[in-house]
Amino acid sequence: MQENQEKFIELVNEKIRNQNLKYSILTMGCQLNENDSEKIAGMLEKMGYKYEEDYKNADLVLFNTCCVRENAEERLFGKLGEIKKIKETKGTIIAVGGCMMQEPIMLEKINKSYRYVDVVFGTHTMQNLPEDIYKTIIEKKKVKDVIDIDGEIIEGLPIKRNDKFRASVTIMNGCNNFCSYCIVPYVRGRERSREPEKILEEVRNLAKEGYKEITLLGQNVNSYKGNDKIRNFADLLIEVNKIEGIEIIRFESPHPKDFKDDVIDAIAKCEKVARIIHLPLQAGNTKVLNEMNRKYTKEQYLELAYKIKERVPGAVLSTDIIVGFPGETDEEFEDTLDVVRKLNFEQIFMFIYSVRKGTRAETMPNHIPENIKSERFNRLKILADKITQSIFWNTLFLYPKSCSVT
Ligand code: SAH
Ligand code: SF4
Ligand code: F3S
């Protein structure tokens, strides 16, 4: 695989060398998607393309897509419409990859209505990009490179990082949880963890290059599976914490159901692990949580949150919340507000429920009308603004300005 990749990098490089060709990447998704874009940029630069901030001036524009909510899709189609005109005058190569391309309906839509797209690739075939680009610029072929088989996490891809001090390190990919509203398990496949030694080697190299802050990434980081020596996420945190030069360790996203005592103890004893912990709630009502297939109750979530705050001195929480899940009543939504009031989250990422084709929630009864979803969203936002503002003032009084771990 790697040899094949290097062969095509070299072939493209020979062809475009000295032409001063430029690329732009539009990253539309989460941090994992961003980390993939850094690898895509690494491959493109090795092929001989130079980075261009403004995609209108680029010779190759690549969209790394997301499909977690409908608005992410709308953004892609809007941008594709804009770029069509530019392609007509400049002959820009257009590549579209990432999560959305794993959805058969979207693939078909691109095929039918956006025929000027040159390369389409999915989440399991990103590493073939040099070959795909070769086929399109040299053989002048349209390329569709999407498979539905979980790809291994590919080691050793070139990478061009976006920042000099903060770096993301993907530790696992995929999700086995099938929350009923969520498309991610369908487009990212089942959970695959990287070898712990490979992760530690990457972090050590980053430390040598001067990186200070590491974010360990995965759709479900705390279900990470290692080997006999570094068995799980708790062990991995302890090992990363030992790496000299790294000052702050973050992780994204944990699942409350896998937030076991060993993970809490590891955070407590690893001084480099940031004391802001993301604990996605999604909803505060047990019946809604059950319908969402989240595998915890309101009480279990609260108990876990209090346990983290108690055992990790200084810990504050951030969270994700979905409003307007099918069948959610006003009373049930009150439970979400109740949890928010009780836990004083430092930050809340709020989302209006968005139907995803093929998920279980799509066919659930009693979808909530848009006006009610918006009204609930606004109520949550008012509460969240109140809470986060009061936290901000408290923080000013409690911590000196130089405190870096927030
Ligand atoms: N693996 C992470 C979440 C990844 S998706 C976790 O379990 O926390 C990021 C966030 O998008 C989710 O936490 C959820 O709040 C939101 N989300 C996912 N699917 C959604 C949908 N269909 N409608 C609205 N929000 C959604
Ligand atoms: Fe989606 Fe749930 Fe998996 Fe998170 S844990 S990616 S919300 S299915
Ligand atoms: Fe979006 Fe894929 Fe991330 S669907 S949220 S880019 S895993």
Side-chain angles (χ1 to χ4, degrees):
M1 164 60 61
Q2 200 112 355
E3 273 170 33
N4 201 40
Q5 194 193 64
E6 274 163 23
K7 180 180 112 190
F8 283 103
I9 286 180
E10 194 44 42
L11 284 172
V12 175
N13 192 293
E14 266 170 33
K15 182 78 187 170
I16 71 167
R17 203 175 286 159
N18 306 325
Q19 289 186 34
N20 195 26
L21 294 185
K22 292 174 279 182
Y23 75 94
S24 263
I25 303 180
L26 283 87
T27 304
M28 308 182 121
C30 62
Q31 282 173 284
L32 272 148
N33 194 243
E34 265 174 40
N35 193 225
D36 286 347
S37 287
E38 292 183 318
K39 292 170 189 159
I40 290 169
M43 289 188 269
L44 289 171
E45 298 227 341
K46 260 192 136 176
M47 283 184 248
Y49 286 94
K50 299 261 175 334
Y51 175 71
E52 167 61 47
E53 173 80 32
D54 184 356
Y55 72 92
K56 295 187 187 85
N57 297 328
D59 303 281
L60 186 152
V61 178
L62 190 144
F63 296 87
N64 195 8
T65 62
C66 170
C67 52
V68 77
R69 287 171 293 274
E70 200 177 1
N71 55 3
E73 292 171 357
E74 284 161 3
R75 275 202 302 142
L76 172 73
F77 294 120
K79 280 269 179 283
L80 277 178
E82 278 175 39
I83 198 133
K84 184 176 183 214
K85 294 183 201 87
I86 303 170
K87 186 182 171 82
E88 278 161 7
T89 53
K90 259 181 75 102
T92 320
I93 300 285
I94 304 173
V96 183
C99 292
M100 211 171 129
M101 295 304 103
Q102 293 295 140
E103 288 184 283
I105 322 168
M106 289 302 158
L107 206 54
E108 206 182 300
K109 183 162 174 176
I110 295 272
N111 240 340
K112 269 200 186 138
S113 315
Y114 298 84
R115 298 195 63 81
Y116 52 94
V117 170
D118 301 285
V119 177
V120 169
F121 63 98
T123 56
H124 306 299
T125 47
M126 183 180 85
Q127 68 283 358
N128 300 344
L129 191 66
E131 184 173 348
D132 299 341
I133 301 282
Y134 174 85
K135 284 184 183 154
T136 196
I137 63 171
I138 292 165
E139 298 174 0
K140 311 280 179 224
K141 284 184 183 153
K142 291 242 174 261
V143 180
K144 188 180 120 195
D145 188 10
V146 182
I147 54 168
D148 196 19
I149 304 159
D150 295 354
E152 285 300 304
I153 299 186
I154 307 288
E155 295 293 346
L157 286 183
I159 184 158
K160 180 186 176 256
R161 296 196 177 267
N162 293 331
D163 195 285
K164 291 215 164 0
F165 302 104
R166 299 166 169 206
S168 299
V169 174
T170 298
I171 64 164
M172 54 92 65
N173 210 336
C175 180
N176 296 349
N177 293 323
F178 289 92
C179 300
S180 59
Y181 50 82
C182 185
I183 192 84
V184 171
Y186 301 90
V187 296
R188 286 273 177 175
R190 297 295 70 70
E191 290 175 5
R192 286 98 69 205
S193 295
R194 273 177 83 191
E195 299 248 340
E197 283 74 20
K198 299 276 186 206
I199 297 169
L200 296 174
E201 187 186 306
E202 184 175 345
V203 180
R204 276 191 210 104
N205 286 335
L206 287 164
K208 275 190 213 136
E209 289 169 37
Y211 283 89
K212 301 286 173 224
E213 185 178 317
I214 295 294
T215 304
L216 303 174
L217 293 181
Q219 267 92 14
N220 200 358
V221 276
N222 50 350
S223 72
Y224 173 80
K225 286 185 187 60
N227 55 21
D228 289 347
K229 281 206 323 247
I230 300 164
R231 295 159 302 174
N232 49 29
F233 186 61
D235 288 354
L236 186 69
L237 274 183
I238 293 167
E239 291 306 314
V240 176
N241 194 65
K242 289 180 191 159
I243 297 176
E244 229 172 279
I246 299 300
E247 292 172 12
I248 301 174
I249 303 164
R250 302 180 191 277
F251 54 87
E252 243 350 282
S253 239
H255 193 299
K257 80 172 169 47
D258 297 313
F259 223 114
K260 299 282 156 38
D261 285 357
D262 61 344
V263 177
I264 304 178
D265 293 341
I267 297 171
K269 76 174 181 205
C270 293
E271 75 291 351
K272 295 177 185 172
V273 176
R275 267 40 188 160
I276 176 157
I277 297 164
H278 192 61
L279 196 64
L281 167 68
Q282 312 301 1
N285 175 272
T286 297
K287 184 172 152 273
V288 175
L289 284 167
N290 189 35
E291 307 265 290
M292 286 180 162
N293 194 28
R294 288 293 290 178
K295 303 187 175 84
Y296 50 85
T297 62
K298 175 186 183 184
E299 290 68 30
Q300 283 166 336
Y301 182 93
L302 283 170
E303 202 181 304
L304 172 64
Y306 290 136
K307 203 194 308 180
I308 294 172
K309 283 174 180 249
E310 188 191 305
R311 292 212 205 157
V312 184
V316 294
L317 301 175
S318 61
T319 200
D320 288 356
I321 291 175
I322 297 176
V323 304
F325 182 77
E328 181 189 65
T329 64
D330 258 332
E331 267 172 15
E332 287 162 355
F333 175 63
E334 285 296 331
D335 273 328
T336 299
L337 300 180
D338 184 48
V339 175
V340 171
R341 276 188 212 105
K342 287 196 162 90
L343 290 179
N344 277 344
F345 291 107
E346 182 81 11
Q347 206 175 3
I348 305 177
F349 299 92
M350 293 172 270
F351 307 105
I352 289 181
Y353 169 74
S354 166
V355 186
R356 301 290 71 204
K357 281 231 152 24
T359 60
R360 267 210 304 123
E362 184 198 3
T363 51
M364 284 181 182
N366 304 323
H367 279 249
I368 309 295
E370 291 304 320
N371 61 334
I372 296 183
K373 285 200 242 178
S374 303
E375 187 233 334
R376 285 186 195 157
F377 184 87
N378 291 337
R379 280 173 66 199
L380 176 61
K381 189 166 181 314
I382 290 167
L383 177 63
D385 286 348
K386 232 196 275 173
I387 286 172
T388 42
Q389 260 174 32
S390 73
I391 287 173
F392 175 70
W393 288 110
N394 282 338
T395 317
L396 273 187
F397 289 118
L398 284 175
Y399 299 110
K401 258 206 160 142
S402 59
C403 174
S404 57
V405 189
T406 48

